[in-house]
Amino acid sequence: MTLLQKLSLGYFVALMIAASLNYIPGLTDEAGLAFGIFALDIYDDALHVASALWALVAALLSHKAARSFLILFGFAYLGDGIFGFFTGYGYLDLGIFTNEALGMEISLRRVLANLPHLALGGVAVWAGLRNLGQPK
Protein backbone atom coordinates (compact mmCIF):
# COMPACT_ATOMS: atom_id res chain seq x y z
CA MET A 1 0.00 0.00 0.00
CA THR A 2 1.47 3.35 -1.05
CA LEU A 3 1.62 6.51 1.02
CA LEU A 4 -1.31 8.07 -0.88
CA GLN A 5 -3.41 4.97 -0.24
CA LYS A 6 -2.60 5.17 3.46
CA LEU A 7 -3.43 8.87 3.45
CA SER A 8 -6.77 8.09 1.80
CA LEU A 9 -7.46 5.58 4.59
CA GLY A 10 -6.70 8.36 7.06
CA TYR A 11 -9.25 10.55 5.29
CA PHE A 12 -11.78 7.74 5.58
CA VAL A 13 -11.29 7.70 9.35
CA ALA A 14 -11.31 11.52 9.68
CA LEU A 15 -14.47 11.88 7.61
CA MET A 16 -16.30 9.14 9.51
CA ILE A 17 -15.40 10.94 12.74
CA ALA A 18 -16.77 14.18 11.26
CA ALA A 19 -19.99 12.37 10.32
CA SER A 20 -20.37 11.09 13.89
CA LEU A 21 -19.86 14.40 15.75
CA ASN A 22 -23.59 15.07 16.21
CA TYR A 23 -24.09 11.66 17.77
CA ILE A 24 -21.39 11.75 20.46
CA PRO A 25 -22.83 13.09 23.71
CA GLY A 26 -21.19 16.26 24.97
CA LEU A 27 -19.70 17.42 21.67
CA THR A 28 -22.64 19.65 20.76
CA ASP A 29 -24.02 22.48 22.84
CA GLU A 30 -27.66 23.39 23.49
CA ALA A 31 -27.74 25.35 20.22
CA GLY A 32 -26.67 22.23 18.30
CA LEU A 33 -23.20 23.56 17.54
CA ALA A 34 -20.38 21.01 17.49
CA PHE A 35 -17.68 22.24 19.86
CA GLY A 36 -19.73 25.45 20.06
CA ILE A 37 -18.42 26.45 16.61
CA PHE A 38 -20.43 24.98 13.72
CA ALA A 39 -23.69 23.16 13.10
CA LEU A 40 -23.84 19.89 11.22
CA ASP A 41 -27.08 18.53 9.79
CA ILE A 42 -28.13 15.32 8.04
CA TYR A 43 -26.89 16.71 4.70
CA ASP A 44 -23.45 17.39 6.16
CA ASP A 45 -23.40 13.92 7.71
CA ALA A 46 -24.36 12.32 4.37
CA LEU A 47 -21.67 14.32 2.57
CA HIS A 48 -19.05 13.24 5.10
CA VAL A 49 -20.08 9.57 4.86
CA ALA A 50 -20.12 9.65 1.04
CA SER A 51 -16.69 11.29 1.00
CA ALA A 52 -15.40 8.75 3.53
CA LEU A 53 -16.62 5.84 1.42
CA TRP A 54 -15.03 7.40 -1.67
CA ALA A 55 -11.74 7.66 0.27
CA LEU A 56 -11.97 4.03 1.40
CA VAL A 57 -12.71 2.67 -2.07
CA ALA A 58 -9.92 4.78 -3.59
CA ALA A 59 -7.45 3.59 -0.95
CA LEU A 60 -8.30 -0.04 -1.53
CA LEU A 61 -8.27 0.18 -5.33
CA SER A 62 -4.88 1.62 -6.22
CA HIS A 63 -2.35 4.40 -5.87
CA LYS A 64 -3.82 6.09 -8.94
CA ALA A 65 -7.36 5.97 -7.49
CA ALA A 66 -6.11 7.35 -4.16
CA ARG A 67 -4.28 10.16 -5.97
CA SER A 68 -7.40 11.03 -7.98
CA PHE A 69 -9.50 11.04 -4.82
CA LEU A 70 -7.07 13.31 -2.99
CA ILE A 71 -6.88 15.82 -5.84
CA LEU A 72 -10.62 15.94 -6.59
CA PHE A 73 -11.73 15.78 -2.96
CA GLY A 74 -9.02 18.24 -1.99
CA PHE A 75 -10.03 20.91 -4.48
CA ALA A 76 -13.73 20.43 -3.61
CA TYR A 77 -13.18 20.74 0.15
CA LEU A 78 -10.59 23.49 -0.13
CA GLY A 79 -13.00 25.51 -2.28
CA ASP A 80 -15.81 24.86 0.17
CA GLY A 81 -13.65 26.16 3.02
CA ILE A 82 -12.74 29.27 1.05
CA PHE A 83 -16.40 29.95 0.24
CA GLY A 84 -17.27 29.39 3.90
CA PHE A 85 -14.63 31.84 5.01
CA PHE A 86 -15.85 34.56 2.65
CA THR A 87 -19.62 33.96 2.78
CA GLY A 88 -20.29 32.06 6.00
CA TYR A 89 -21.59 29.05 4.04
CA GLY A 90 -20.10 26.38 1.82
CA TYR A 91 -21.33 25.02 -1.49
CA LEU A 92 -20.97 21.29 -0.91
CA ASP A 93 -24.02 21.21 1.37
CA LEU A 94 -25.74 23.82 -0.86
CA GLY A 95 -25.56 26.34 1.99
CA ILE A 96 -24.61 29.22 -0.31
CA PHE A 97 -27.80 28.56 -2.27
CA THR A 98 -30.16 28.22 0.70
CA ASN A 99 -28.85 30.97 2.99
CA GLU A 100 -28.17 34.65 2.58
CA ALA A 101 -24.42 35.36 2.53
CA LEU A 102 -23.07 36.63 5.82
CA GLY A 103 -20.22 38.49 4.13
CA MET A 104 -16.52 38.44 4.84
CA GLU A 105 -15.64 38.19 8.49
CA ILE A 106 -12.27 37.63 10.07
CA SER A 107 -13.15 36.11 13.40
CA LEU A 108 -11.88 33.16 15.39
CA ARG A 109 -15.24 31.40 15.02
CA ARG A 110 -15.27 31.81 11.22
CA VAL A 111 -11.68 30.56 10.96
CA LEU A 112 -12.34 27.57 13.22
CA ALA A 113 -15.57 26.71 11.41
CA ASN A 114 -13.79 26.53 8.05
CA LEU A 115 -10.40 25.24 9.16
CA PRO A 116 -11.31 21.53 8.79
CA HIS A 117 -12.20 21.95 5.12
CA LEU A 118 -9.26 24.25 4.45
CA ALA A 119 -6.80 21.89 6.13
CA LEU A 120 -8.22 18.61 4.79
CA GLY A 121 -8.57 20.06 1.32
CA GLY A 122 -5.18 21.72 1.30
CA VAL A 123 -3.28 18.65 2.50
CA ALA A 124 -5.13 16.41 0.04
CA VAL A 125 -4.37 18.66 -2.94
CA TRP A 126 -0.74 19.03 -1.89
CA ALA A 127 -0.23 15.29 -1.41
CA GLY A 128 -2.06 14.35 -4.59
CA LEU A 129 -0.28 16.88 -6.80
CA ARG A 130 3.10 15.95 -5.30
CA ASN A 131 2.20 12.31 -5.94
CA LEU A 132 3.75 11.32 -2.62
CA GLY A 133 4.97 7.76 -2.29
CA GLN A 134 4.35 6.90 -5.92
CA PRO A 135 5.15 3.29 -6.80
CA LYS A 136 8.50 2.74 -8.47
Side-chain angles (χ1 to χ4, degrees), residues 29-120:
D29 62 15
E30 58 280 345
L33 298 176
F35 307 111
I37 301 170
F38 50 84
L40 296 170
D41 58 25
I42 191 70
Y43 302 108
D44 296 312
D45 295 340
L47 177 65
H48 288 127
V49 169
S51 297
L53 294 175
W54 180 21
L56 178 63
V57 169
L60 296 176
L61 281 177
S62 67
H63 175 85
K64 184 178 177 181
R67 182 173 186 246
S68 294
F69 160 76
L70 290 165
I71 292 169
L72 295 172
F73 165 89
F75 276 121
Y77 269 58
L78 183 60
D80 194 63
I82 291 168
F83 264 81
F85 189 72
F86 284 101
T87 69
Y89 299 99
Y91 56 76
L92 291 175
D93 65 354
L94 306 178
I96 62 169
F97 304 109
T98 59
N99 300 293
E100 189 173 328
L102 300 175
M104 176 66 179
E105 175 186 319
I106 299 176
S107 67
L108 182 59
R109 184 168 186 251
R110 181 74 63 94
V111 170
L112 292 175
N114 291 289
L115 190 60
H117 281 219
L118 294 170
L120 285 172

